[in-house]
Amino acid sequence: MMLRIAKPKVSIRILTHSIFGAPTLTRRSYSSGVKVKQMMVREALNSALDEEMAADPRVFLMGEEVGEYQGAYKVSKGLLHKYGPDRVVDTPITEAGFTGLATGAAYYGLRPVLEFMTFNFAMQAIDHLINSAAKTHYMSGGNISVPIVFRGPNGAALGVGAQHSQCYAPWYGSVPGLKVVAPYSSEDARGLLKAAIRDPDPVVFLENELLYGESFRVSEEVLDPNFTLPIGKAKIEKEGTDVTITAFSRMVGYALKAAETLAKEDINAEVINIRSIRPLDRSSINASVRKTNRLVTVEEGFPQHGVGAEICASVVEEIFEYLDAPVERITGADVPMPYAANLERMALPQVEDIVRAAKRVCYKSISMAAAV
């Protein structure tokens, strides 16, 4: 499914083209003379793929519509023309087949980047993901590495129904042998994808369809071809002292908006962009909770056995004595995703849900239990 997303409005826009052929929006600051660069998430992914393919001939891209159509979400724009059909491979609609093929190529020493049009379709290939890619290094006694990246949109989009709206972060995050990341910003997308492609182990790279057209500021450091982000390290998006809010992927933006609202009520929230689901950066989360003494976790997946549940368990097991309030989890509803727009909104976390939870742990509102 293709989404038409409006471009962000800025006072002065200069549309240029990067060396990758993808449009880059640049805003000039005339007071300082320094350019503040903006990059869409799809552009960040495209540039990361391009640079890694140029640097390492073992890297190739495979998936449905990645070549002639330039990607269902235009992430692979221009790559077929630059690298040819041997390295940008269009596949039939047969996830089990091309996932097995790519995993075998990784056994041989190549570095496949496998695109699923959505991770919901990866269920057709989950045997290769789990039993072949994730376990082979261990079962071979360390003799066979599986350097492969499985990437594509994860979680809910808009109006695509229950079968196309699932969050697979806790599914894959529970599997030993896999590394699982979920980028939020353009910096995340670019740095984590480059790191994933270079990694010797299989990496599940969970993007979000609604973030592809979002623009974020990127520094010159992020645009450096050698830039990577470490897998397994979270980022503090906003420092705070009163409550820790953890989130990943699209929910990071919701958490930041909630923090703005909370600030108006004298609650200084710290927002942690988890980035890496497995390995999970428990030390950064624990350090934040030691400072704030309160925790709210946010994710759009199901509540039972979720990423937030794992974070809560970790905090309770390791630093329970630092908590001044019960932990709050904000998740999607425990139902298959409704198709109707009004019900879909009710089934997903909203900014106001995060605000209410943060106020409860800060004892700035009546708790649900007390209200009942």
Side-chain angles (χ1 to χ4, degrees), residues 83-133:
Y83 297 103
D86 288 341
R87 296 185 66 195
V88 181
V89 184
D90 278 321
T91 68
I93 303 174
T94 171
E95 282 80 9
F98 63 72
T99 304
L101 190 157
T103 302
Y107 288 178
Y108 186 73
L110 300 179
R111 292 183 171 268
V113 179
L114 191 64
E115 176 177 314
F116 295 114
M117 197 175 291
T118 161
F119 260 94
N120 298 277
F121 300 156
M123 290 182 71
Q124 303 293 327
I126 200 165
D127 179 56
H128 290 303
L129 267 158
I130 305 302
N131 285 327
S132 299

Side-chain angles (χ1 to χ4, degrees), residues 214-236:
E214 292 288 325
S215 288
F216 294 87
R217 287 186 170 198
V218 290
S219 65
E220 293 293 337
E221 179 188 6
V222 173
L223 296 175
D224 189 293
N226 295 316
F227 174 77
T228 61
L229 288 173
I231 295 174
K233 183 65 179 174
K235 177 187 179 184
I236 297 177

Side-chain angles (χ1 to χ4, degrees), residues 121-187:
F121 300 156
M123 290 182 71
Q124 303 293 327
I126 200 165
D127 179 56
H128 290 303
L129 267 158
I130 305 302
N131 285 327
S132 299
K135 297 178 181 178
T136 295
H137 184 68
Y138 173 82
M139 295 181 71
S140 69
N143 290 310
I144 300 176
S145 295
V146 191
I148 185 171
V149 177
F150 304 100
R151 52 158 296 271
N154 169 69
L158 291 173
V160 293
Q163 294 170 318
H164 295 163
S165 301
Q166 297 166 111
C167 176
Y168 288 91
W171 292 49
Y172 295 117
S174 68
V175 179
L178 289 178
K179 295 178 181 177
V180 184
V181 296
Y184 161 62
S185 65
S186 298
E187 175 182 325

Side-chain angles (χ1 to χ4, degrees), residues 215-347:
S215 288
F216 294 87
R217 287 186 170 198
V218 290
S219 65
E220 293 293 337
E221 179 188 6
V222 173
L223 296 175
D224 189 293
N226 295 316
F227 174 77
T228 61
L229 288 173
I231 295 174
K233 183 65 179 174
K235 177 187 179 184
I236 297 177
E237 295 283 352
K238 176 190 173 297
E239 293 189 354
T241 55
D242 297 328
V243 56
T244 298
I245 304 175
T246 65
F248 60 92
S249 189
R250 185 167 169 249
M251 290 295 107
V252 176
Y254 282 44
L256 289 169
K257 290 178 182 178
E260 292 177 3
T261 301
L262 291 166
K264 298 174 184 177
E265 302 191 37
D266 296 323
I267 297 176
N268 186 8
E270 181 151 293
V271 177
I272 297 182
N273 174 5
I274 297 172
R275 281 180 171 170
S276 178
I277 308 300
R278 184 183 184 103
L280 185 64
D281 188 359
R282 301 172 194 270
S283 61
S284 291
I285 296 170
N286 288 349
S288 177
V289 175
R290 286 190 186 97
K291 176 175 62 174
T292 66
N293 308 117
R294 296 168 176 85
L295 174 64
V296 176
T297 69
V298 186
E299 62 188 304
E300 64 179 42
F302 300 129
Q304 189 160 329
H305 308 304
V307 175
E310 176 65 22
I311 293 172
C312 292
S314 177
V315 167
V316 168
E317 289 169 359
E318 297 177 20
I319 56 166
F320 176 75
E321 66 275 16
Y322 284 88
L323 289 172
D324 287 344
V327 176
E328 291 264 0
R329 285 187 299 146
I330 303 299
T331 71
D334 196 20
V335 296
M337 182 65 69
Y339 176 74
N342 58 332
L343 298 179
E344 183 182 62
R345 188 181 190 280
M346 292 174 65

Side-chain angles (χ1 to χ4, degrees), residues 1-5 42 65 69 71-74 117-118 121 153 156-161 164-165 209-210 212 339 344:
M1 176 181 177
M2 296 300 297
L3 285 183
R4 186 172 295 169
I5 303 175
R42 66 163 54 92
E65 298 186 348
Y69 193 66
Y73 305 97
K74 298 299 177 269
M117 197 175 291
T118 161
F121 300 156
L158 291 173
V160 293
H164 295 163
S165 301
E209 182 176 332
L210 298 179
Y212 285 134
Y339 176 74
E344 183 182 62

Side-chain angles (χ1 to χ4, degrees), residues 4 9 11 45 49 64 68 93 100 112 114 149 171 174 219 269 291 295 311 350-352 366-367:
R4 186 172 295 169
K9 294 181 179 179
S11 56
L45 295 167
L49 284 167
E64 296 160 1
E68 294 289 346
I93 303 174
L114 191 64
V149 177
W171 292 49
S174 68
S219 65
K291 176 175 62 174
L295 174 64
I311 293 172
Q350 303 299 324
V351 173
E352 52 266 31
I366 300 175
S367 68

